Amino acid sequence: MILYICICLLAIFLAYILPSLDIVIVVLLAFTLSFICGFRLGGSDYENYTIMINEIHKMNDTNAEWSDVISAAKDPGIAYVIKIANLYNTSDTTVFILMALMGFMTKSAVAILVIPKNKTLFIALYALFLAPGLEFAAIRSAVGLGFLALSITSTAALRYKISLFLIAIFFHFSVILGGIFLFNPIKKLFFNNLFIGFLITVLAYLLWSNMAIYMNEWRKLDDLDKGTNLVFILPLCALVFQYTFSRQQFVFYNENKLNQYKSVISTAILFNLIAVTLSTSVAVISTRCLEISLFFNLMGIIISFSSKKKLNNLSIISAYTFFLFLAVINIYRGTWLIMFTDVFEY
């Protein structure tokens, strides 16, 4: 863990004194962190993943039905990764490395294509604050998140954006609602009328809460993971930071950058609204949506650094509070503690 932190801080320092090498440094950082993540020996859900990987290796060796393999993997993306890894060896590490490479390298591609400056800073902050809950735990979501970010921020033709988006949901279905921001009219409508999203969230929360109670009482569905009050408070607090930060009207040097900023902020707020809605009934999905939201919020903050306008006082306070909030989440969930004690043998 000490090595992990030192590498991130060193990368930030090098990018600061050698800004012309920012792209090179961000790629090297992503590549290095991928291998650190791949060679880990623990972390949240580590044992569950190793059990799943070994089970799928056995199913591949016995030519089991592909539908059974996908069912065991939960998402087809990781099932294919395990199948590819099985061609070389049956080591769990190979799968973790491949997944980490896809997770970190897609995010570094987003940094290179979308963020005008501070690319390394973005990946380093992600690695310190968000990767402990994604690349070191929810590896399927981490990969899906990278492809989702590429799809909604890409300036390519719509068919390419849709292809990237399909890969995203191939790895984790939780990102599916982000697909609405592939279409500019919907994105602009949402960004310019955030109050509609808040109103829909209140109605959806009331509806879903009553449906969850009904299903628990009458259908005896015990697999709904009810959250605590804190699970509800976390996305609600993040929503306040996101809303106050998004109130500043940034002016960028080109229209594409403005559209990308609107895309990431809209996506951040959308997934946070979903997290609030599901927080008291399906805590695991709510937490995953919150992580997706925080990633896009971080990207929006870094993109704003390239605006013609400097951050106003409200935006600065919101940004600093946001990073404090990320620290609180890692302490509350124990992700940093797990990395220090269980993830590496050194």
Side-chain angles (χ1 to χ4, degrees):
M1 178 60 180
I2 300 299
L3 176 64
Y4 183 85
I5 295 173
C6 289
I7 288 174
C8 291
L9 295 179
L10 176 62
I12 294 173
F13 175 72
L14 290 175
Y16 177 75
I17 63 173
L18 300 169
S20 60
L21 296 179
D22 197 12
I23 292 178
V24 176
I25 295 170
V26 78
V27 172
L28 291 176
L29 176 62
F31 190 76
T32 303
L33 295 179
S34 297
F35 276 88
I36 291 177
C37 176
F39 280 105
R40 74 186 190 272
L41 300 174
S44 301
D45 285 341
Y46 178 81
E47 291 185 2
N48 290 334
Y49 272 115
T50 55
I51 292 171
M52 179 192 73
I53 291 168
N54 292 328
E55 181 182 349
I56 293 175
H57 278 317
K58 293 177 183 177
M59 295 172 75
N60 286 329
D61 292 338
T62 57
N63 295 318
E65 291 290 333
W66 186 238
S67 58
D68 294 332
V69 174
I70 294 177
S71 177
K74 296 182 180 179
D75 289 290
I78 192 171
Y80 275 104
V81 171
I82 296 172
K83 188 176 182 67
I84 292 170
N86 195 44
L87 298 175
Y88 300 95
N89 59 64
T90 57
S91 170
D92 303 334
T93 301
T94 305
V95 177
F96 284 121
I97 288 176
L98 289 174
M99 292 294 288
L101 278 171
M102 284 189 289
F104 273 116
M105 297 312 287
T106 51
K107 295 178 186 74
S108 67
V110 170
I112 292 169
L113 296 173
V114 178
I115 299 175
K117 56 182 180 179
N118 300 302
K119 299 173 176 61
T120 301
L121 178 64
F122 169 68
I123 293 298
L125 290 175
Y126 169 80
L128 293 171
F129 288 105
L130 293 173
L134 288 166
E135 259 79 11
F136 285 93
I139 58 178
R140 294 174 296 126
S141 296
V143 177
L145 176 55
F147 282 104
L148 174 64
L150 279 174
S151 67
I152 67 170
T153 58
S154 173
T155 57
L158 182 60
R159 62 181 180 276
Y160 298 114
K161 296 169 118 179
I162 292 176
S163 298
L164 290 168
F165 175 68
L166 291 176
I167 297 173
I169 60 176
F170 198 59
F171 278 96
H172 206 275
F173 198 71
S174 64
V175 303
I176 188 168
L177 287 178
I180 65 174
F181 296 127
L182 295 175
F183 308 97
N184 285 330
I186 298 177
K187 174 181 61 186
K188 290 179 180 178
L189 177 65
F190 185 89
F191 186 83
N192 295 328
N193 300 278
L194 291 177
F195 68 91
I196 296 177
F198 288 105
L199 178 61
I200 293 174
T201 300
V202 172
L203 296 175
Y205 176 77
L206 294 174
L207 177 62
W208 174 255
S209 297
N210 283 287
M211 285 178 60
I213 293 172
Y214 172 79
M215 287 188 292
N216 267 333
E217 290 184 354
W218 296 100
R219 301 184 184 181
K220 304 300 180 183
L221 294 182
D222 298 325
D223 58 343
L224 286 177
D225 181 17
K226 293 183 179 180
T228 64
N229 290 332
L230 191 57
V231 175
F232 175 80
I233 292 171
L234 289 176
L236 201 60
C237 290
L239 202 57
V240 174
F241 308 146
Q242 291 168 344
Y243 184 78
T244 53
F245 185 84
S246 65
R247 292 309 83 207
Q248 180 171 346
Q249 299 298 313
F250 293 108
V251 178
F252 296 94
Y253 289 94
N254 60 68
E255 189 67 22
N256 283 338
K257 202 56 58 188
L258 176 62
N259 286 332
Q260 289 170 334
Y261 170 76
K262 288 182 177 180
S263 295
V264 299
I265 291 297
S266 296
T267 307
I269 293 176
L270 173 67
F271 276 97
N272 216 333
L273 294 174
I274 299 171
V276 171
T277 303
L278 301 179
S279 59
T280 55
S281 54
V282 195
V284 172
I285 299 177
S286 173
T287 300
R288 204 64 65 233
C289 289
L290 176 60
E291 289 171 333
I292 295 171
S293 171
L294 297 176
F295 168 79
F296 283 105
N297 196 65
L298 173 61
M299 193 191 305
I301 291 174
I302 303 299
I303 290 175
S304 71
F305 293 166
S306 63
S307 169
K308 293 180 182 179
K309 291 184 177 181
K310 293 183 178 180
L311 271 66
N312 60 29
N313 291 335
L314 181 60
S315 295
I316 292 173
I317 293 172
S318 298
Y320 277 112
T321 309
F322 173 72
F323 287 108
L324 177 62
F325 176 73
L326 291 179
V328 170
I329 286 181
N330 280 282
I331 293 170
Y332 164 66
R333 295 181 62 194
T335 51
W336 286 341
L337 180 62
I338 291 173
M339 288 179 70
F340 268 112
T341 57
D342 299 333
V343 173
F344 307 117
E345 62 180 355
Y346 47 82

